[in-house]
């Protein structure tokens, strides 16, 4: 028995409230109202497609695919159902699936200009993928090993920061240089490609020598800071350093992945962090996030930004360097820090993580994927992750993992939180996120954690976003995310 007229009227009112919340970028509220509308009128394809779009905005692309699929089941000719599923799959880097759905949508709406634009963009990406697959060779040397630094002459007209040394004898990275570079970046100036590549190659050497799980010892008197996602928000990174001091041998840091994408100063962020890694290799630690990957960089802006500020060769070196970022860190044998979360199976040990061959693009499943993509859930057990990648894991999973590996705490990042951090799973799991007002629109605070070696109890500092130049988030991202409209 279907909904009566009263339910249908109420559902439309809820949809209108949801649409209004969506337009105000209050996606959490929109999600609640669309869900209420679906409960009253569960056969409306429009409600499912609109909720799918809301899931995309909340980065829950797995849930978006499920809702869009349900919309298509309810109305196989409903264009927005295919459209939303394609958007979600594109965001996940599943370009061939996205292309298939955009082609189906185009059959029903052949003159829709936005749809035609997205179809053409996706077709270009798929053709590029096929070309790359066709020419791929295991024998191909990494770009970092073929780059001739001596060929990157520093022109006399270059007025930016310079490393000590010379082109003939080589350059060295000093604290004076790094501080001048940060000020140069603050003024929206580009570092010379010669010095950028020097940072990349030097940092690559340090990262390549590390295991997939890095153990970090602390003396009782030492402190240690963990930051979460910074996502190209360079001016907020400067604020972290203002609040907590620059990285140094006496002020060590771990940045827990997702340095790049979305924010439009990702080049400045990653070069700064890599430069500090070169200065203090034992005291500055960098973990891989799910956005330190080829597909994410193609979609969410980093590749476009690097090619705008430098060129494709520099992007190739970044891509290779990301594959050497460690996947996990254990601080003082008590706290494990990973970007995403835990695993789809029980019994995973620290040695299992150490054995992961990380020098690759992240796979779609398995331990490496789950470390980068998984999320905690409040209920026990495991569930499919709302992102469509990794797994959702409950408090019992966290407790079992910590007990097996004789650890006290899991720290992870990967999710924006209103206060910049959240303590879950009966205190066993902490999320820290360091990009305030994420994407210039979420209104959240940022946070970082400070531990003392003597007790390893997390101490949280929260902070608000600071102003930045008028370059919007996602300025270099794929054009796919520029003009989608609700199927109202």
């Amino acid at each position: 028995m279907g909904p009566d007229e009263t339910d249908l009227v109420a559902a439309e009112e809820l949809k209108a409230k949801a649409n209004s919340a969506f337009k105000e970028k209050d996606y959490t509220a929109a999600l609640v109202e669309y869900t209420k509308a679906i409960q009253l009128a569960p056969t409306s394809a429009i409600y499912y497609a609109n909720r799918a779009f809301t899931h995309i905005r909340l980065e829950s692309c797995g849930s978006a695919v499920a809702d869009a699929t349900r919309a298509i089941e309810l109305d196989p000719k409903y264009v927005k159902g295919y459209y939303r599923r394609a958007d979600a799959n594109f965001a996940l880097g599943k370009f061939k699936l996205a292309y298939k759905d955009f082609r189906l949508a185009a059959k029903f709406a052949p003159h829709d200009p936005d749809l035609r634009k997205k179809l053409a963009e996706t077709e270009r990406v798929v053709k590029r993928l096929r070309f790359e697959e066709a020419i791929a060779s295991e024998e191909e040397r990494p770009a970092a090993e073929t780059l001739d630094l001596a060929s990157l002459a520093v022109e006399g007209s270059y007025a930016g920061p310079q490393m000590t040394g010379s082109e003939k004898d080589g350059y060295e990275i000093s604290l004076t240089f790094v501080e001048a570079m940060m000020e140069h970046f603050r003024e929206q100036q580009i570092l010379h490609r010669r010095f950028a590549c020097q940072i990349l190659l030097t940092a690559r050497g340090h990262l390549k020598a590390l295991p997939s799980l890095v153990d970090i010892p602390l003396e009782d008197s030492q402190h240690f800071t963990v930051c979460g996602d910074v996502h190209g928000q360079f001016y907020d990174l400067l604020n972290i350093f203002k609040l907590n001091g620059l990285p140094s041998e006496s002020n060590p840091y771990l940045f827990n992945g997702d340095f790049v994408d979305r924010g439009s100063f990702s080049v400045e962020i990653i070069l700064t962090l890599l430069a500090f890694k070169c200065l203090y290799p034992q005291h500055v630690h960098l973990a891989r996030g799910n956005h330190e990957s080829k597909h994410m960089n193609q979609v969410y802006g980093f590749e476009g930004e690097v090619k705008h500020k430098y060129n494709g060769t520099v992007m190739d070196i970044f891509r290779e360097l990301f594959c050497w970022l460690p996947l996990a860190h254990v601080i003082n044998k008590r706290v494990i820090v990973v970007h995403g979360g835990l695993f789809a199976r029980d019994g995973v040990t620290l040695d299992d993580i150490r054995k992961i061959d990380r020098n690759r693009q992240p796979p779609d499943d398995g331990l490496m994927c789950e470390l980068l993509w998984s999320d905690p859930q409040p209920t026990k057990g495991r569930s499919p992750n709302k992102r469509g990648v990794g797994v959702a894991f409950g408090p019992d999973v966290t407790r079992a993992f910590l007990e097996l590996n004789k650890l006290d705490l899991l720290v992870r990042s990967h999710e924006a939180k209103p206060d910049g951090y959240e303590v879950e799973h009966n205190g066993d799991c902490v999320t820290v996120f360091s990009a305030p007002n994420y994407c210039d629109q979420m209104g959240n605070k940022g946070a970082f954690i400070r531990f003392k070696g003597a007790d390893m109890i997390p101490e949280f500092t929260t902070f608000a976003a600071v102003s930045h130049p008028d370059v919007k988030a996602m300025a270099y991202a794929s054009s796919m995310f520029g003009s989608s409209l609700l199927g109202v």
Side-chain angles (χ1 to χ4, degrees):
M1 185 175 180
D4 59 26
E5 188 63 30
T6 302
D7 287 340
L8 292 175
V9 170
E12 279 296 296
E13 291 175 351
L14 289 166
K15 186 190 80 167
K17 288 177 64 177
N19 288 353
S20 178
F22 188 101
K23 290 170 183 175
E24 293 298 318
K25 300 180 180 179
D26 188 349
Y27 303 121
T28 301
L31 186 67
V32 170
E33 301 304 323
Y34 285 133
T35 299
K36 291 178 182 177
I38 287 170
Q39 290 169 346
L40 289 176
T43 58
S44 171
I46 291 175
Y47 298 171
Y48 280 100
N50 285 7
R51 191 170 72 172
F53 195 23
T54 309
H55 280 306
I56 292 171
R57 289 293 192 235
L58 290 170
E59 302 184 22
S60 301
C61 290
S63 298
V65 169
D67 271 354
T69 299
R70 181 58 180 152
I72 293 167
E73 291 170 349
L74 290 167
D75 184 354
K77 294 184 178 180
Y78 183 52
V79 173
K80 291 292 183 182
Y82 297 101
Y83 206 138
R84 297 299 172 228
R85 191 165 69 181
D87 278 342
N89 276 320
F90 193 97
L92 286 168
K94 298 180 179 180
F95 303 122
K96 293 177 182 178
L97 289 176
Y99 180 53
K100 180 180 178 181
D101 275 337
F102 278 133
R103 288 187 65 186
L104 287 169
K107 289 183 178 180
F108 298 114
H111 303 299
D112 183 320
D114 187 51
L115 181 54
R116 291 171 66 183
K117 178 182 176 182
K118 290 195 171 190
L119 177 60
E121 170 70 11
T122 310
E123 184 175 23
R124 282 194 294 272
V125 173
V126 170
K127 285 182 177 179
R128 182 174 65 180
L129 282 176
R130 289 172 177 161
F131 175 74
E132 290 173 353
E133 290 167 0
I135 65 171
S137 169
E138 294 183 1
E139 302 300 321
E140 185 176 354
R141 288 182 64 194
E145 295 178 7
T146 61
L147 181 68
D148 179 14
L149 282 176
S151 69
L152 305 179
V154 180
E155 303 84 358
S157 60
Y158 173 68
Q162 304 226 14
M163 294 179 182
T164 56
S166 66
E167 292 178 30
K168 179 181 178 181
D169 300 322
Y171 290 104
E172 293 184 1
I173 302 168
S174 66
L175 178 58
T176 299
F177 166 79
V178 175
E179 290 178 327
M181 181 183 72
M182 289 192 294
E183 189 59 33
H184 193 63
F185 288 157
R186 188 198 297 271
E187 298 299 322
Q188 293 184 266
Q189 301 300 309
I190 304 299
L191 182 67
H192 194 282
R193 184 158 56 108
R194 174 63 176 83
F195 301 128
C197 289
Q198 182 74 57
I199 293 170
L200 285 171
L201 297 189
T202 305
R204 179 180 182 270
H206 288 299
L207 295 170
K208 190 175 179 180
L210 295 171
S212 291
L213 183 150
V214 177
D215 291 288
I216 305 171
L218 289 184
E219 300 292 337
D220 285 354
S221 60
Q222 288 182 299
H223 66 263
F224 190 90
T225 301
V226 178
C227 296
D229 306 35
V230 286
H231 270 303
Q233 297 184 197
F234 177 70
Y235 296 84
D236 293 306
L237 175 67
L238 294 181
N239 189 41
I240 291 173
F241 292 156
K242 179 179 178 181
L243 295 169
N244 196 59
L246 291 176
S248 69
E249 293 178 351
S250 61
N251 193 30
Y253 278 85
L254 165 58
F255 289 88
N256 194 28
D258 281 13
F259 320 118
V260 302
D261 281 340
R262 297 193 179 275
S264 295
F265 302 94
S266 293
V267 166
E268 290 79 2
I269 285 258
I270 189 61
L271 287 178
T272 297
L273 296 181
L274 291 174
F276 275 116
K277 178 65 179 177
C278 296
L279 276 179
Y280 310 113
Q282 304 302 318
H283 301 87
V284 172
H285 305 274
L286 306 177
R288 193 173 191 175
N290 62 302
H291 276 268
E292 279 70 57
S293 67
K294 180 179 179 179
H295 286 165
M296 292 297 102
N297 296 162
Q298 289 174 339
V299 173
Y300 291 101
F302 184 57
E303 181 174 299
E305 183 182 345
V306 173
K307 290 182 176 179
H308 175 79
K309 294 175 179 177
Y310 292 108
N311 57 30
T313 299
V314 175
M315 184 63 222
D316 289 339
I317 298 172
F318 270 119
R319 188 176 295 122
E320 294 165 4
L321 178 144
F322 288 162
C323 292
W324 289 113
L325 288 165
L327 303 175
H329 294 76
V330 172
I331 309 171
N332 231 20
K333 298 182 179 181
R334 296 176 64 180
V335 175
I336 185 167
V337 185
V338 304
H339 180 73
L342 298 181
F343 310 102
R345 63 176 175 87
D346 293 329
V348 176
T349 66
L350 299 184
D351 278 342
D352 292 327
I353 300 173
R354 289 187 182 98
K355 293 173 185 175
I356 296 173
D357 179 7
R358 71 186 187 277
N359 183 26
R360 58 183 298 196
Q361 291 303 315
D364 293 331
D365 55 26
L367 299 187
M368 181 174 173
C369 169
E370 290 150 9
L371 284 165
L372 299 180
W373 280 96
S374 292
D375 294 289
Q377 65 179 20
T379 56
K380 290 184 177 181
R382 297 176 175 89
S383 304
N385 197 0
K386 61 190 178 182
R387 298 178 191 267
V389 190
V391 66
F393 59 96
D396 55 325
V397 175
T398 303
R399 170 82 336 233
F401 174 82
L402 294 176
E403 288 180 352
L404 175 65
N405 291 286
K406 298 180 173 59
L407 297 166
D408 297 340
L409 181 67
L410 167 67
V411 173
R412 42 88 64 182
S413 301
H414 197 38
E415 291 181 281
K417 298 295 182 180
D419 293 323
Y421 73 95
E422 185 172 71
V423 180
E424 302 172 82
H425 291 184
N426 305 310
D428 287 340
C429 177
V430 170
T431 298
V432 60
F433 192 85
S434 303
N437 194 28
Y438 181 41
C439 288
D440 294 334
Q441 66 183 33
M442 298 301 289
N444 61 291
K445 292 180 180 178
F448 54 81
I449 306 173
R450 193 159 167 145
F451 292 98
K452 294 178 182 177
D455 56 30
M456 294 302 294
I457 297 172
E459 298 176 357
F460 302 97
T461 297
T462 63
F463 54 93
V466 297
S467 61
H468 64 75
D470 189 21
V471 182
K472 303 300 184 186
M474 303 284 280
Y476 301 100
S478 167
S479 59
M480 293 288 293
F481 296 105
S483 55
S484 298
L485 300 173
L486 283 172
V488 293

